[in-house]
Amino acid sequence: MDYYFLLFAIMAVGAGIFTITVKDALPSALGLLTVFIALAALYLHLHAPLIAIFQVSIYAGAILVLVVFVIMLLITPDEALETAQKNISYRAMGAILGVYLIALLIIGLKGINQLVAQKSLPEGFGKPSQIGDLFFRKYILHFEISSVLLLVALVAAIYLAKKRA
Amino acid sequence: MNQMNLAFDLYHLWEVCGGQMILIVAGLFLILVDMMLLHKDVEVRGKWLGWLTVFIFAATIGHMACREWELHDIVFMNIFSADKFSIFVAIIMACSGMLVALMSIGYLRNNRLMNGEYYILLVFAVAGAIGLVQSVDLLMMFLTLEVMSLAIYGLAAFLKDSPFSQEGALKYFLLGSFGSALFLFGVALIYGFTGTLNITEVAQAISNGTYQSLPLLTAFALIIAGLFFKMAIVPFHMWTPDVYEGAPSVVTGFMATAVKAAAFGIFMKVLFVTFTPILATNGQPDFASTVNLSALNPYWKPVIWWGALLSMFFGNLLAVSQTNIKRMLAYSSIAHAGYMAVGIIAANGEGRTGVLFYLFAYTLMNIGAFGVVYIIDGVERKAQELDDYRGIGYRYPTLAFLLSLFLVAMAGLPPTAGFIAKFYVFSAAIKEGYFLLAALGVLTSVIGAYYYLRVIYMMYMKEEIREVVRGAVAAPTVVALVITALGVLYLGMLPEKLASIANLAQQSLAMIF
Amino acid sequence: MAGINDYIILSCILFGLGVIGFLTRRNALILFMSVELMLNSINLMLVAFSASMADMGGQVMVLFIFAVAAAEVAVGLAILICLFKHAKSVDVNRFNLLKW
Amino acid sequence: MNAPILTYVTFLPLLGVLFILAVPQRDEAGKNVIRGIALVTSLLTFLASLRIYAAFDPSVAGFQLLEDHPWIPSYGIHYKLGLDGLSFWLILLTTFLTPLTILSTWRAIDKRVKEFQVALLVLETAMLGTFVALDLFLFYVFWELMLIPMYLIIGVWGGERRIYAAIKFFLYTAVGSLLMLVCIIGLVYFHYDSTGRMTFDLLQLYGTHIPRNYEIAFFAAFALAFAIKVPMFPLHTWLPDAHVEAPTAGSVILAGILLKMGTYGFFRFAMPLFPQGSAFFAPLIIVLSIIGIIYGALVAMVQPDIKKLVAYSSVSHLGYCMLGLYVLTRQGVEGSVLQMINHGISTGALFLLVGIVYERRHTRLIKEYGGIARIVPIYSTIFLIVTLSSIGFPTTNGFIGEFLILLGAFKVNKVAAVLAATGVILGAVYMLWMVQRVFYGEVTNPKNLTLTDMNLREVAYMLPLLVLIFWIGLYPNFFLKKMHTSVDHFINQVKIEQTSQGSQMASIHEVPGIEAATVSMAKE
Amino acid sequence: MDKYIFLIPLFPLIGFLINGLFGKRLGKGIISFIGCMSIAFSFIVALFIWKDLLSLEPEHRVFTQTLWEWMSVGGLKVDVSFMIDPLSMLMILVVTGVGFLIHVYSTGYMWEDESYWRYFAYLNMFVFFMAMLVLGGNYLVMFVGWEGVGLASYLLIGFWYQGIDNAVAGKKAFIVNRIGDFGFVLGMFLMFWTFGSLSYLDVFPKALELFEHGSLALNSPVLIAICLLLFIGATGKSAQIPLYIWLPDAMAGPTPVSALIHAATMVTAGVYMVARTNVLYTLAPTALLVVASIAAATAFFAATMGVLQNDIKKVLAYSTVSQLGYMFIGVGVTAYWAGVFHLMTHAFFKACLFLCSGSVIHAMGGDQDMRHMGGLAKKMPITYMTMLIATLAISGLPPFAGFFSKDEILGKAFAFPYHPLAGKIIWFIGTVGAGITAFYMFRLIFMTFHGKFRGTEEQKHHLHESPATMTVPLIILATLSLFGGWLGIPELIGKLFGHVPNILEGFLEPVFEHSSRIVAQYGHHVHVAEPVEWTLMATSVVVAIIGISLAFYIYMVRGEELPKKLAERFAFHYQVIYNKYYVDEIYEFLIVLPIYYFSIFLWKVVDAFFIDGIGVNGPAWLVKRTSAGARLVQNGFVQTYGAFMLVGIVTLLCFFIYR
């Protein structure tokens, strides 16, 4: 049994459940952070150190901080915000649908290990240099487009956030 | 040349993705212009930017139609293809962008909102959309989809002072992310099974019989779901009315046409290249394995059957009880998605031709309709209720006539493009024996006729109950309306030319390999 | 060594959790985070595939997904802030001016 | 060979539309100019259609004056026009009635004159196109095209419940015709499957081999579309509403021509294309026609509104047309075609007449009138003559049609003929009762005392109708002559297919004789 | 002259058109001139043609003229054609002759009327259509006239349309006639599909030929059907049971109209038609029996109804119905010529009676109630005398015209070759009816012309003899009533005076020769011995005298109290008969009202509620309601939308996985 995987898997699931059930947004963000870190650990295990680092730095460090920042910005302490749908049946329906989806996905993806090619990893697999190499060869167009993507996001976000001209 | 420095042939890129490149470069240029152009008068600046955008789109269309249309070496780096199908759809979207840009000049002025970001986002949205239909790489699809989507989130939320616009945008955003996640999940799975992201390679990889393995079907289902969201097929349509109602009218026109075209284009591309590949009728079919060509038919066909039927049914049904014209048109766009899906289900050349034709025709009539709507509106949400349209026919006869024309076209009555488009898709379905679907479809279009006609009778047969003052009519809008109106009539009477082009375009789907 | 199946199941569960969160919470920000959870589950899957197939492509994809996630969050939050100005709330149940 | 006369006739009204659009309608003078242009255009169309009369060769069974140009080649869709003895008179009827209608609107339509005349002229083009189109697609285009102008005519210039009536008219017709479109396409693909040729050309599609159950279904869809237009019995309820609410001109066009498109559709499309389906449904259609005849007459009898009465009488009259068509004897079919023209003339005239008093009194309720014969003698005389025509009085047109239809029907189905003939009695009952209540007795309503009699313009547009009423009544051969060969052709077309399918329809060579009669008597 | 047959209907047509189109602007003199002269010309043309006809051998006495081909469709070929043979010759002479007299009379009678022009237009139109009916060379042209005279009748009954009752009566006449025409038309259809033609000259030879070839049996169902259907038409036009009800109401029209249309000419069209179709009827004895039976019943019941009428014209109306019954008895017992003979004499005396009553009404200032009259004989001697002659004629007293014709009919009925027993019954009924006829006719005479005047002073003051335009026709008609019967003196009486020939029978013989031959061949040979014949003749005279005496006793001797007493004594019978056996009411209750309410039901319930409400607006309503309901799903909550998407994807996955 792969305890390393089991540990972080349980941690990720537990933190995920915490994220979606906890009352306030801030603890929820902390829960998400935990998920991220657990996943980062798994990434390391999967020979993806660079991803793991980025996971911590970009996701946890940038995106989540942004979210937390907005949480602080938007939720004034005196506003009592109900966290979940009041209507139990509504919540139950969402949960059931979600669980059903999980079940279906798991059933649907049964036998995936036969489909996925399983090769032994070459030497130095997952080194950042490999990624960089791919970035500038095979994925250069994606890279360009993602820069456009970020530019678009920037334009949109700036327009929306800035004061009316 | 140092290979490390230049990983690809720039000239080839220009050949294949010239349209995108023009748009992206022009978008950057627009950002610069927007910042540099220090003209005091916002209106003048907005107008200039608008015309510039129009010019950019015109150049894009011209470029794509003249150069990329006739390419031989059509695939670039296994990522973008310039097959006629993609270019055709791209041209539709660029046309949509141009018409919307034309109208936006007037719209933004009427709403006192002359920010340059609008045009920038519009250009990038079209760039993303074109990238989407051009891509044969699933990751690139996702990225360009996101480029398009993000730009459109921005556009949908463009009325900063309007809670409606913001709310619509937020809903769109939330559900859109959800939809993208589904799509991405599917993409990731496909990557997992095949080790590749290129749709032709995927097709080859799964042609060995993995077609019917469960995981692949699951991935297929997730991709369908993600694209259905963008196509607004029931039950993935729920965002449509809210977003269309909230978004600025011209943006709604854009969303209903360009985004829909992109979604349908990429859906057909994925479907007919990867999952149910069609064979080249001329040229050389590179794809040898013909054994499993239609193995997936029993899976996706019923899905689209029901999706089309439900879309036609609910779209038309719910439109009946709407009082807001934009919301009504939103529901009608769901119904139109259903009609187009009828063309897809036929899975034959006529059907694909029909869908392409339908997209083009729908672009013309829908943008035209939203153009009239925004003019009558004056300022967004000032006069959108159907009651506001009472007596418009005599107050503003030309506008009313145009709106009637567009609505009649949407209702599918001759001699308009809408009729021919419906004819094409339904005849394709009938050719494959889908009588029931066709019959039910035309019956739902009777419901459709009811609410389109309701607008017409409001305009011509009811006395007005309150004085509606239309907004200013800008010259570019007039140009756009004239183009759309003439286009609707022209395509209604002489559809053959466009149809044969569309036919060429759909045939090229077989040539991507 | 955990097999590919285990990672897939884990990522399915996480994806499902994201979906459940998306459907059951009212706080728009938590909805955002649920979406992030979904994207992360996909990332995990991709990395697992990548490791299994010894193909770096999966890892590269993850990086792009990071970018997308960042961009999405940026735009999403911007819209939310804008909307907050009108609605004075981040409760998605309050956002129903547009309906029927 | 020579000038495309059918195209000219069909699209001439649109030329008038262009001129009308150029005229402003700010003042009365402008309106009069518009009316004038419309009238002149329609008269020119009528004159042009006389060229058709000159060029028409009644000895040819097939289609004549053909024009054929590819339109949408990839689907085998052509711009193909032509006519035969069956459509010939309907075309002339259309061009003949339109000027009269326009003349009748001179004063009645005072608002939005330009739009009205445009709608009317567009409608004329659509109607003519429907009658001359020999390509199913083209036919469908014209068929649908006429919906919008008619919708507007009813909805904009109509009475109180005009919107309800207009939408009902539109949707009702649309339901049928859209299903028909589906089946048109289906038929084309069946043809394609058997011949490998895509074509919407009617002539090529005749005789397409279709599986029997499909043929029945296709016929049902076609029949639905046409039966709605006719209108046949349970599908008739749009008609009274549309008639009552439509302005006079609308009612005239509606009754005079639009309803004929239903019957025309039957004999041009539904029956020859799907003879088996037609045979399958023939009993039903005959029964429904008879129900329509009697039902329409009975319901007409108790209507309080003159227009509604006339509308229901249309249901009855068109029942005769359908019956005549479906007995498939020469007399029946020719009577049916003639009855279509008759109905156009006499019911058109009745609507014009109702319009005349409506214009003066703004009511169509029978009880508002009474005893006006003394006040408006010319009007009542003409009304009486038209009434006679409507109830099939010999020497008027109505008699010839009904006689031929019933004669034809009698041969095939005696019970049907007897039941249908009761409609003749009922027709007299409701029309004469109405005449009595409107024209005879003392003047009970003082408002009627100031009624003015018909003016010159009104007489002018009634006179041609009166002339035709007697012309057809006294010398129907003039009209029948033109259709003999086409009718024979039609019957052959429909029947040979059926007999080859073992239908028990009698042979077409109906040499009347004692043999047949004695045999049938012996059976009883 | 046969080229000019068309002139006979043409003149009245021209008269109609001139009077109808321009009459309003013409003077009354010109109108009268045109109106009368058009008929006179027709009469003259008819006379000339008659002369030509007589110049031919009896068996070749047929003129035909075809104007144009009317309809020709498939096997159906109908021409607008005329045929003159002795039968139609006789009819047209009666029509134009009596018609002319009545036109002349009308100039006096209608002089004061404001719609004088309209009256003459209608009257001319009537003669036109009557001429078409009589002269038509085929059944369809006959039918044109048949319906045409119905129209004229409709218009003339409702001539004074301001009185709504008149208009209603006109409409009733038209509709009842239409019911008859319904039968006529069906008869024509059956005839056409049996014989392949509608022309007299085709149908009858063809029928005979088929009969002789044995492919058409005597009394074959198809023949019976044709004859009975045609007879339905005749019952309508000629006011036989059950369609006689319109005729009494038709008296609402001007009196000359009653004389011309509802006594002398139009109502006899049925008789003419049966006589014309004699070949077919002869081949269908059952049909004949039906005709004769219905005719006998009509003759009797109508006579009883005439007994108690107080309206002078109603009495005459019922008497007309009754006399028409006699004519039908005649044609029904194969004595076609006798029926036609009675038709002719009836035309004379009944026209005379009506015109006389018109004269009386004229004098009474429009009052028609006999209870207000009395003692008019002194004031209006010419009217009295002429009316008396006519009454004697109708009562069947020799040597007046009615005696010969009626006696001939009853005698032939007694010897009905197809059904001797039925013939005797019919004879008995007819004879009794003749007595009743004599009774009520003399009741009319006594109540009107004898005794004391019972009207108002003003009427009394006003009483006068009518002008010459009215009296001259009366005198002519009375003369004809007196001598007209001598054209058909029976053999028996003829022998007494040394072989006086039966001119009329001889004249008409060619028309009926085939029938006579068939009857002789296939009928029973009923030999009526000479004494029996004399007895029969005497019986009818005696019966008539009894009737007259009874009338004299009741209305002259006992004055006024006996009728009242009788009325009280037989209150029920009196009421039933006075109200014409409640036939109108029964029709109203059994046919008219049910149809009316059924129509209301169809309209309100079937049409408005079921078809339109549920069938048409139902789906529309459903769509609207579902739409209004279904839109609530779109509740604006983003999570609902997400849930729907999720349902979609879950369904999709389920389908893909478990398909």
Side-chain angles (χ1 to χ4, degrees), chain B residues 394 397, chain D residues 20-35 110-115:
Chain B
Y394 303 103
Chain D
I20 288 176
L21 287 177
V23 180
Q25 57 164 336
R26 287 194 198 85
D27 50 359
E28 198 53 33
K31 287 178 182 174
N32 275 335
V33 171
I34 289 170
R35 291 173 182 132
D110 207 30
K111 275 188 202 155
R112 291 149 201 171
V113 176
K114 185 196 265 189
E115 288 85 348

Side-chain angles (χ1 to χ4, degrees), chain B residues 398-419:
Chain B
T398 317
L399 281 180
F401 172 76
L402 286 171
L403 186 55
S404 311
L405 175 68
F406 297 131
L407 291 174
V408 162
M410 285 198 218
L413 292 170
T416 59
F419 166 68

Side-chain angles (χ1 to χ4, degrees), chain E residues 50 90 94 98 337-338 340-350 352 389-390 393-394 397-406 408 475-490 500-505 508:
Chain E
W50 187 29
L90 180 71
V94 170
V98 176
W337 85 267
V340 175
F341 182 28
H342 193 55
L343 186 160
M344 183 187 80
T345 56
H346 177 256
F348 298 150
F349 60 68
K350 187 50 71 60
C352 182
I389 291 168
I394 196 174
L397 288 179
F400 297 95
F403 166 75
F404 296 102
S405 53
K406 191 187 282 181
E408 187 64 34
I475 293 166
I476 297 172
L477 284 170
T479 317
L480 287 170
S481 310
L482 184 53
F483 301 112
W486 298 4
L487 288 171
I489 291 176
V500 177
N502 190 333
I503 302 165
L504 197 67
E505 191 173 10
L508 290 174

Side-chain angles (χ1 to χ4, degrees), chain D residues 514 518 521, chain E residues 194-195 206-225 227 279-286 418 518 522:
Chain D
I514 185 68
T518 42
M521 283 297 162
Chain E
T194 311
F195 301 115
K206 177 103 184 182
L208 288 169
E209 184 193 319
L210 290 169
F211 178 66
E212 269 144 34
H213 282 81
S215 45
L216 192 66
L218 189 73
N219 221 1
S220 78
V222 66
L223 281 175
I224 295 175
C227 292
V279 174
L280 300 186
Y281 276 94
T282 310
L283 290 173
T286 310
Y418 284 130
I518 294 165
Y522 296 95

Side-chain angles (χ1 to χ4, degrees), chain E residues 189-396:
Chain E
F189 293 159
L190 195 51
M191 186 189 295
F192 175 73
W193 291 116
T194 311
F195 301 115
S197 175
L198 289 173
S199 170
Y200 305 143
L201 293 179
D202 294 335
V203 172
F204 304 141
K206 177 103 184 182
L208 288 169
E209 184 193 319
L210 290 169
F211 178 66
E212 269 144 34
H213 282 81
S215 45
L216 192 66
L218 189 73
N219 221 1
S220 78
V222 66
L223 281 175
I224 295 175
I226 292 173
C227 292
L228 287 182
L229 285 169
L230 290 178
F231 182 63
I232 292 176
T235 56
K237 190 97 328 184
S238 297
Q240 296 298 292
I241 289 174
L243 298 179
Y244 68 89
I245 46 167
W246 62 272
L247 188 57
D249 290 6
M251 295 304 133
T255 307
V257 170
S258 308
L260 179 61
I261 300 183
H262 306 121
T265 53
M266 181 189 91
V267 288
T268 60
V271 182
Y272 168 74
M273 190 264 288
V274 175
R276 170 60 73 212
T277 324
N278 64 78
V279 174
L280 300 186
Y281 276 94
T282 310
L283 290 173
T286 310
L288 280 178
L289 181 64
V290 172
V291 171
S293 312
I294 288 180
T298 310
F300 180 77
F301 282 110
T304 58
M305 281 183 269
V307 170
L308 294 176
Q309 296 302 322
N310 287 324
D311 183 321
I312 186 167
K313 283 179 76 181
K314 284 272 165 73
V315 176
L316 294 178
Y318 282 107
S319 111
T320 305
V321 176
S322 174
Q323 293 302 311
L324 288 166
Y326 283 104
M327 295 175 215
F328 275 108
I329 292 176
V331 293
V333 297
T334 70
Y336 301 106
W337 85 267
V340 175
F341 182 28
H342 193 55
L343 186 160
M344 183 187 80
T345 56
H346 177 256
F348 298 150
F349 60 68
K350 187 50 71 60
C352 182
L353 282 171
F354 264 114
L355 294 185
C356 290
S357 75
S359 175
V360 168
I361 295 164
H362 199 63
M364 291 288 291
D367 195 346
Q368 302 186 1
D369 195 328
M370 292 194 295
R371 283 169 298 192
H372 301 160
M373 300 171 186
L376 296 182
K378 281 168 239 129
K379 300 273 182 179
M380 340 179 45
I382 301 172
T383 307
Y384 174 61
M385 278 313 294
T386 48
M387 190 148 191
L388 189 62
I389 291 168
T391 307
L392 287 168
I394 196 174
S395 304

Side-chain angles (χ1 to χ4, degrees), chain B residues 388-457:
Chain B
D388 298 330
Y389 281 75
R390 284 161 170 255
I392 290 284
Y394 303 103
R395 190 178 259 274
Y396 306 119
T398 317
L399 281 180
F401 172 76
L402 286 171
L403 186 55
S404 311
L405 175 68
F406 297 131
L407 291 174
V408 162
M410 285 198 218
L413 292 170
T416 59
F419 166 68
I420 302 285
K422 273 206 180 88
F423 169 76
Y424 279 148
V425 291
F426 280 114
S427 74
I430 290 167
K431 187 182 183 189
E432 299 301 316
Y434 290 100
F435 276 103
L436 184 62
L437 182 65
L440 293 172
V442 295
L443 285 182
T444 61
S445 79
V446 175
I447 305 178
Y450 169 72
Y451 60 80
Y452 294 125
L453 287 184
R454 201 172 45 165
V455 180
I456 296 179
Y457 82 60

